């Protein structure tokens, strides 16, 4: 299938990125041309055509197709418009690039707990609202999917549409350090947290590195701070205000992610890929590319 898919279309379509000006790259792909080239070089080992035919789609073309899809909406028509390549070849390119990004996710998304990083994060979060010892902020978001064929009821979230529930942890600069989108939309935030690698990071023996900030959907623990219930004193209200001002950085992070990767945004409609493609790979790939800007 690979050689056939790469060789479907004429040579003049294999340098799509050269047709786009620097301004068009930023407007349509959300990335500068130099970033596009950098990403193409990083993914080249997985995207190089498996054929010697001159009509094979280049690595740069595949990356351009995928970035345009991520940056526009949940449909492929806009991608076809700039590249004049068929829906089949577009679909194939998007899958290849997504898989290649997912394979490299740990190069971009990681939660290092060195003393230097801990000190950097604590200082960064303190500058926001004075909340001490914060190592990250955690929240869940939903990516709207078309109705799954199997067990659609478990993907129905509390907002009334089908989705995976994606847990994100970000730092004070809105950089994503952990993502977990393995569970359906009906899953509770606390359940996802218990199953995720984040819990293992903070519950290692003799680990005392501060805490995450989460909303009331998460359980209070020695390493996860949630808002005070029924605050009464001025100090308790001030504590909740500082907690809220600091934690809302995750909301900003999610907003930026969905602005840059519009195919994940509900306003663009449901993501038009079946759940045979792991939602975790999609979200991880999306989070990876936000690091490149």
């Amino acid at each position: 299938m690979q050689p056939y898919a790469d060789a479907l279309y004429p040579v003049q379509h294999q340098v799509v990125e050269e047709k786009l000006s620097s301004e068009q790259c930023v407007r349509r792909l959300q990335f500068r041309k130099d970033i596009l080239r950098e990403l193409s070089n990083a993914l080249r080992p997985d995207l190089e055509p498996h054929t010697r035919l001159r009509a094979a789609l280049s690595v740069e073309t595949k990356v351009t197709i995928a970035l345009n899809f991520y940056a526009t909406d949940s449909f492929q028509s806009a991608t076809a418009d700039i590249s004049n390549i068929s829906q089949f070849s577009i679909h194939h390119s998007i899958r290849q690039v997504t898989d290649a990004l997912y394979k490299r996710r740990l190069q971009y998304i990681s939660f290092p707990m060195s003393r230097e990083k801990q000190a950097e994060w604590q200082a960064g979060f303190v500058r926001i609202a004075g909340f001490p010892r914060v190592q990250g902020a955690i929240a869940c978001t939903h990516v709207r999917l078309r109705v799954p064929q199997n067990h659609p009821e478990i993907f129905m979230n509390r907002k009334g549409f089908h989705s995976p529930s994606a847990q994100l942890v970000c730092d004070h600069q809105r950089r994503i350090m952990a993502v977990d989108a393995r569970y359906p939309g009906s899953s509770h935030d606390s359940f996802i947290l218990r199953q995720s690698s984040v819990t293992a990071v903070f519950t290692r023996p003799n680990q005392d590195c501060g805490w995450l900030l989460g909303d009331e959907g998460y359980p209070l623990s020695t390493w996860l701070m949630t808002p005070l219930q029924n605050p009464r004193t001025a100090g308790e209200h001030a504590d909740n205000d500082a907690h809220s001002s600091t934690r809302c950085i995750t909301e900003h992070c999610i907003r930026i992610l969905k602005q840059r990767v519009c195919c994940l945004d509900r306003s663009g409609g449901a993501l038009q890929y079946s759940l045979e493609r792991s939602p975790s790979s999609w979200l991880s790939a999306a989070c990876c590319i936000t690091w490149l800007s």
Side-chain angles (χ1 to χ4, degrees), residues 9 23 66 81 112-113 134 139 147 160 176 183 189 208 221 229 240 264 268 276:
Y9 300 99
E23 179 184 354
D81 176 61
M113 296 301 289
V134 179
V147 180
I176 296 168
Y183 301 100
D189 294 356
D208 182 22
S221 76
Q229 298 296 316
N240 268 8
L264 303 179
E276 67 180 4

Side-chain angles (χ1 to χ4, degrees), residues 115 118 199-209 223:
R115 291 188 180 277
Q118 290 179 38
T199 296
V201 168
F202 281 88
T203 56
R204 292 170 184 159
N206 303 317
Q207 181 82 333
D208 182 22
C209 56
W223 54 270

Side-chain angles (χ1 to χ4, degrees), residues 10 19 55 71 116 128 138 154 175 187 209-210 239 244 250 253 255 283:
K19 297 181 180 180
E116 293 77 12
I128 296 173
I138 188 169
I154 68 171
R175 293 178 299 195
S187 303
C209 56
D239 187 75
S244 176
T250 54
C253 175
R255 191 177 305 120
L283 266 294

Side-chain angles (χ1 to χ4, degrees), residues 244-278:
S244 176
S245 297
T246 308
R247 181 186 55 80
C248 73
I249 202 165
T250 54
E251 298 172 9
H252 300 160
C253 175
I254 290 168
R255 191 177 305 120
I256 291 169
L257 172 65
K258 292 188 175 182
Q259 286 173 349
R260 181 172 289 277
V261 189
C262 293
C263 67
L264 303 179
D265 187 4
R266 183 183 175 191
S267 63
L271 184 62
Q272 296 297 300
Y273 280 83
S274 70
L275 288 175
E276 67 180 4
R277 305 300 298 164
S278 167

Side-chain angles (χ1 to χ4, degrees), residues 119-134 172 242 246:
E120 175 189 335
W121 293 331
Q122 289 185 28
F125 278 111
V126 163
R127 287 193 293 269
I128 296 173
F131 210 102
R133 301 191 66 211
V134 179
H172 60 288
T246 308

